[in-house]
Amino acid sequence: MGKYQNSQHSNQPQLRHHNRKKGKRNQQQVVNDRWEEKYEQGKRVNEKHHASRLQFILENPIKPMNEKQAIYLNNLRTKPYNVATGYAGSSKTYLATRVAIEEFLKGNIEKIVIARPAVSDSKSLGFFGGTKEEKVKNWILPVLEVLEEFLGASYVDYLIARGVIEGVPLEIIKGRSFKNCFIIFDEAEDLKKPEVKKCITRLGNNSTMVFAGDVRQVDIKETGLKFVIEDLMKRDALKDLWGFVDFNEHNEIVRSLAVKKTIIELSNMGEM
């Protein structure tokens, strides 16, 4: 009897350890189930929001403010490669972002990518502190307001977290292949010729690549956009692949009257 009792007592710690492990597994399962439920609920909410945003853009299509904007919009929807140069405030990046949002909401693409050159007045992605999502939001700041205006701030956060909206520094673009994407190179006037060649060979199927920049604000001696505009896109085999618009008239500055007047005077002073 004593031997039996001793055996019984010796098994009790093992049973307690087993029960604790079982309890931990059950607790983890509850946590997993709650996260799964939360994910599915969030997914349903975002799908409903996505549909409402699509309805909004269908009811409020982009209206070009001048002839060149109309040409640019058509190019963005029909050409795999696009270059937009010209004065600040002529909606080069804005219109590209609007079309990217439109194409995403319609289900024509799966991802929106914002890229920048390594040589720029802007900081590299690694410079910014915070979480991955906070870093990306700082990186895409020039287009963030447009994204939030037409997608909603919370939905933008969700898409950044899912990698659907991505900020890509040029230094890590080598080796990437962008399929089913809309890629916007902001501040593209700072791209060097070798960088431009590296970028254009990243384009995958069902994708659009846009280079938007003001060559009057070049930070390097010779912009790579010059090679594209004057040489590459004029090749007979490539003409149909490239769209190009130069917003080089003062009346094409639409950001504000104050900006328009300032740029005109800077031009008169020989500063632009």
Side-chain angles (χ1 to χ4, degrees), residues 58-268:
L58 292 176
E59 292 174 353
N60 298 272
I62 309 170
K63 296 179 180 178
M65 300 179 70
N66 52 58
E67 184 180 355
K68 285 185 184 176
Q69 282 196 4
I71 295 170
Y72 185 37
L73 286 168
N74 181 66
N75 288 344
L76 290 169
R77 294 181 175 118
T78 59
K79 304 285 187 181
Y81 293 107
N82 283 276
V83 177
T85 60
Y87 286 114
S90 52
S91 295
K92 301 180 295 294
T93 303
Y94 174 84
L95 290 176
T97 307
R98 281 289 309 271
V99 173
I101 293 169
E102 177 185 287
E103 293 297 297
F104 169 69
L105 290 173
K106 288 180 178 179
N108 295 333
I109 59 167
E110 298 174 356
K111 180 179 283 192
I112 298 173
V113 177
I114 311 299
R116 285 185 183 176
V119 179
S120 167
D121 288 336
S122 303
K123 304 296 184 183
S124 181
L125 187 61
F127 173 85
F128 298 107
T131 64
K132 174 188 172 184
E133 289 77 17
E134 289 169 339
K135 285 177 180 287
V136 173
K137 287 183 76 170
N138 281 315
W139 180 256
I140 67 172
L141 201 58
V143 302
L144 184 61
E145 288 185 357
V146 186
L147 291 169
E148 290 184 342
E149 179 183 357
F150 292 96
L151 292 174
S154 61
Y155 193 35
V156 169
D157 289 343
Y158 171 80
L159 295 175
I160 290 173
R162 294 286 304 277
V164 176
I165 296 175
E166 185 180 3
V168 179
L170 192 67
E171 56 262 33
I172 65 169
I173 205 169
K174 188 175 181 179
R176 296 289 300 270
S177 180
F178 296 107
K179 300 176 182 178
N180 303 311
C181 290
F182 201 105
I183 310 105
I184 302 171
F185 284 92
D186 192 33
E187 301 175 352
E189 71 272 7
D190 290 322
L191 287 168
K192 299 176 183 178
K193 182 177 175 180
E195 292 172 331
V196 168
K197 291 193 290 185
K198 180 168 64 176
C199 294
I200 61 180
T201 55
R202 302 298 100 207
L203 191 71
N205 291 326
N206 189 43
S207 295
T208 301
M209 184 174 287
V210 183
F211 298 92
D214 182 3
V215 293
R216 297 167 183 82
Q217 299 181 16
V218 175
D219 297 330
I220 53 180
K221 290 183 178 180
E222 186 173 337
T223 172
L225 291 186
K226 179 181 178 182
F227 161 71
V228 173
I229 296 166
E230 297 183 0
D231 298 312
L232 186 64
M233 68 171 56
K234 291 183 178 181
R235 305 286 295 181
D236 289 338
L238 301 178
K239 283 181 179 179
D240 293 338
L241 300 179
W242 287 85
F244 171 58
V245 176
D246 184 17
F247 296 96
N248 57 358
E249 300 291 336
H250 290 146
N251 60 8
E252 292 159 357
I253 301 168
V254 297
R255 178 170 293 151
S256 68
L257 182 59
V259 168
K260 182 177 180 179
K261 286 185 174 181
T262 300
I263 289 177
I264 289 173
E265 289 310 308
L266 286 169
S267 298
N268 291 339

